[in-house]
Each structure stands twice: as C-alpha cells, then as structure tokens.
Amino acid sequence: MLSKAKILLIYTGGTIGMKKDFSTGALKAFNFSKLLQRIPELKLLDCEIETISFEHPIDSSNMNPEKWVQLATIIEENYVSFDGFVVLHGSDTMSYTASALSFMMENLAKPIIFTGSQLPIGDLRTDAKENLITAIQIASLRENGQAVVKEVCLYFEYKLYRGNRTTKINAEHFKAFTSPNYPFLIESGVHLKMNPELFLPVKQNGSLRVHKMLDTNVIILKLFPGISEQLIAAVVAIPNLKGIVLETYGAGNAPTNDWFLNVLKQAIQNGIHIVNVTQCSGGSVRMGQYETSSALLEIGVISGKDITTEAAITKLMYLLGQNIDATDFKEVFETSLRGEIQE
C-alpha cells in the first residue's frame, strides 16, 4: 500500500490567512498551526499536511525578490521530505511570484501550487476553503508513485493554470485570474477534469537546481500616445539599468519616429536588453508583421511573443542573474524555459 502524499503548506501572507475580528471588523493574521481546526474538511483529504509560515507574513504588495529567495529556500530545504507544496499568497502579486519561482526552480519534479482568496478564511462566503482544499488535493495527486503535476501552478476559482502564464484581472470577482494565452491544466467540478497533454514535461534525470541570483536592474515601460523623447531617454539613462520590458501596442507595434528608434537603438548598443510584449490582455507579439514593428526587429529588440508582462520581467531578472553572454541573450529569452512562452 502506497503511503499518503505529504504536502507542505507555506503561508507567506495575504487575505486567505486573515480572520475577521467580529467586534471591530478588522482583519488580522490567522494562526496557521490551527488550520485543521478551522477547516476540518482537510482531514478528509488523502494526504498528510504540515504547515510553515513566514516569520513575518506580508501583504503581497510588499513581495520582492528577497522574499522569492526565502520561499524558494523553504521549498529547497523541504524538497526531499514532501511530495508537493501549496503556497498561500496574496493575490495582487501572485502571478509575479509564481512566474519567478518557475524560473528559479530548474528540473522541478513536484508540484508547487499557489493559491489564495478574495475573502478571508473565516468569512461566511469565503472562496478560501475551496481554493485551499482543491489546491492541496491537486498537489497530492500521484500516479505510479510519481507526482501528476510537476510544475509551478496557480489555482483559483475552479481552475489550475501554469503559474507563469497567469495574470490578475479582477480585484472583486472570485475569478481573479486568467491565463490569456495558455489553456487551464485542470478544472475542478464534480470531478477533476485534467488536460495532461498540456502539462510541462520534466527533464529526465535532472536533479532540482534552485537559482537565487536575481538582478532587479529592470523596468517595465508602457507606451502611450504622446509619450515623449525626454521620458524614454530618462528611462534608458537610469544608472545600472540592464533590461526593459516594453509594453507595445497590438502585435508589438510602436512609433516609427526617428527619435524613438534612435533612443532604443542606443540603449541596446549600450547593453540594455529590451523585450517587446503586448499591452493587450491576450495575443502575441509578431515583430515584422506590420511596418510599425519591423524597425524594432531590425535594431535588435527581443520578441516576447505571447509571454505575460509578469513572466517577462521575472524572466529578465532570472536571466540577468545567470550572466548569460550578451550575444546569446536574445535567443535564450525567446526560448521557452518553463513553458512560459510559445516556441
């Protein structure tokens, strides 16, 4: 008889771990060691659950690369002892953290599933229970002694998505996330409907490598009609800047003014990597499809293809931390490392 899956539940902070003081109405952090008392349904799951919490849980607005390293280290230190990991995280920056962790955890062979909620765990109409119970259930799925899911995912409102394909789209609805350019991996209904053909394949015989060097000398620059030369010139002149995620129009289109292209061209010649992503909520950059993107292609701008902004900025941080040769950087960025981009 196979032993029960062991799941480590990691609380970083966020709404899901709050409870309401009904006398004042204020939200305060919940004691996670008492989780099983609050949600007795967890005892019905066919797995063993242990919990660990950040010493000082944070609102996800305060999430940063140092905390990503802290989270990755917790998983690394417990990797051998557990079959899966569920990370409770505030929803506001969850897609950034899920994307960052996907790049930091190379050769991952176990599930890391992010979840959270729009309402605190103690609220009458909370979405926390369903999100938490199903995330743990999916993390504990095994077949022939192996984890079914072997990647960084995000579970919210009945859907499991690849983490680095997600973006938060709503601050009020329970359906807070979407995966604009990649289908959901699992849907929760009466049964779990799986799409295993969409799961990320695992490299054979590769042991887990955790990358903790992230370079934060990066910026996101969103184009808008009327953007000035002074603004863009000031951005590219930021000391030590190494990478820009440029949010362009439509399929990767941008102004064709000489000043605009000259500023970007000079930045690229100065060693700044510029990644072209679309401002649209879905779709892909196709540089060269229109004249307004051909010039970007010619000066060496990197195509973000169908990557999300969240994955683009965290991939930049990760790759810049890898000290990749400048001549190879464009090719490596345009290659799918963790299923974050269409090849």
Side-chain angles (χ1 to χ4, degrees):
M1 184 178 166
L2 288 173
S3 59
K4 287 186 176 183
K6 288 188 69 179
I7 303 300
L8 183 62
L9 189 61
I10 306 168
Y11 178 55
T12 66
T15 302
I16 192 168
M18 300 290 177
K19 66 176 180 179
K20 189 174 285 185
D21 183 322
F22 289 104
S23 59
T24 65
L27 294 177
K28 57 184 182 181
F30 174 57
N31 182 349
F32 253 79
S33 63
K34 295 180 178 174
L35 180 71
L36 289 171
Q37 295 172 19
R38 296 284 299 193
I39 312 180
E41 296 96 324
L42 290 176
K43 293 175 183 172
L44 300 174
L45 291 171
D46 191 27
C47 60
E48 294 176 23
I49 304 166
E50 290 186 28
T51 61
I52 190 170
S53 175
F54 274 16
E55 188 177 350
H56 302 290
I58 59 166
D59 186 286
S60 72
S61 300
N62 291 318
M63 187 54 74
N64 59 45
E66 286 177 13
K67 299 288 192 302
W68 293 340
V69 170
Q70 185 182 340
L71 178 57
T73 302
I74 289 171
I75 294 170
E76 180 184 29
E77 289 173 349
N78 290 280
Y79 191 74
V80 175
S81 305
F82 290 88
D83 300 298
F85 304 86
V86 173
V87 181
L88 302 180
H89 192 291
S91 60
D92 286 348
T93 57
M94 195 187 293
S95 290
Y96 288 96
T97 303
S99 297
L101 261 285
S102 76
F103 298 121
M104 294 167 74
M105 313 298 274
E106 186 178 359
N107 299 327
L108 184 65
K110 297 180 181 182
I112 300 173
I113 299 180
F114 282 80
T115 195
S117 65
Q118 296 285 61
L119 288 173
I121 217 158
D123 265 32
L124 187 63
R125 296 178 52 253
T126 186
D127 54 330
K129 283 190 178 184
E130 198 284 322
N131 285 348
L132 179 55
I133 289 167
T134 308
I136 293 172
Q137 185 180 10
I138 291 171
S140 62
L141 291 175
R142 289 194 293 175
E143 206 169 70
N144 302 321
Q146 295 279 317
V148 171
V149 176
K150 301 175 182 177
E151 57 181 293
V152 178
C153 295
L154 188 157
Y155 180 81
F156 227 88
E157 185 66 1
Y158 307 119
K159 298 241 179 22
L160 183 80
Y161 304 108
R162 177 166 298 152
N164 58 31
R165 288 290 197 153
T166 61
T167 191
K168 186 175 180 184
I169 54 164
N170 202 296
E172 291 189 358
H173 293 178
F174 287 147
K175 188 182 186 305
F177 290 88
T178 190
S179 173
N181 293 320
Y182 200 78
F184 61 83
L185 305 181
I186 297 177
E187 184 174 29
S188 171
V190 174
H191 304 286
L192 292 178
K193 178 189 172 189
M194 303 205 202
N195 295 314
E197 71 281 1
L198 299 172
F199 293 2
L200 193 65
V202 178
K203 287 181 185 173
Q204 295 302 314
N205 305 320
S207 57
L208 180 72
R209 292 184 64 201
V210 183
H211 302 276
K212 299 180 184 179
M213 291 298 296
L214 297 167
D215 194 322
T216 57
N217 290 293
V218 293
I219 195 167
I220 298 169
L221 177 60
K222 184 169 186 169
L223 295 185
F224 58 90
I227 195 167
S228 68
E229 181 176 0
Q230 291 90 334
L231 189 151
I232 296 179
V235 167
V236 301
I238 293 170
N240 302 315
L241 185 68
K242 296 177 186 172
I244 299 172
V245 172
L246 187 68
E247 287 196 348
T248 57
Y249 310 124
N253 304 314
T256 52
N257 312 56
D258 287 343
W259 67 260
F260 177 80
L261 295 169
N262 288 339
V263 170
L264 295 190
K265 186 176 181 180
Q266 187 61 54
I268 291 168
Q269 288 173 352
N270 291 343
I272 295 174
H273 302 288
I274 301 178
V275 181
N276 185 357
V277 304
T278 178
Q279 292 180 15
C280 298
S281 55
S284 180
V285 161
R286 292 188 175 86
M287 289 200 295
Q289 183 176 2
Y290 295 95
E291 187 183 345
T292 44
S293 63
S294 296
L296 297 180
L297 188 63
E298 288 166 14
I299 63 173
V301 170
I302 297 165
S303 174
K305 302 180 184 177
D306 64 346
I307 200 169
T308 63
T309 296
E310 293 91 335
I313 198 74
T314 51
K315 188 174 185 178
L316 258 185
M317 291 182 193
Y318 164 69
L319 290 179
L320 288 169
Q322 297 295 298
N323 291 318
I324 291 167
D325 191 272
T327 54
D328 299 327
F329 196 93
K330 184 176 189 289
E331 183 182 352
V332 174
F333 195 99
E334 292 179 354
T335 301
S336 175
L337 302 179
R338 313 281 190 266
E340 76 287 350
I341 196 171
Q342 190 68 43
E343 290 268 46

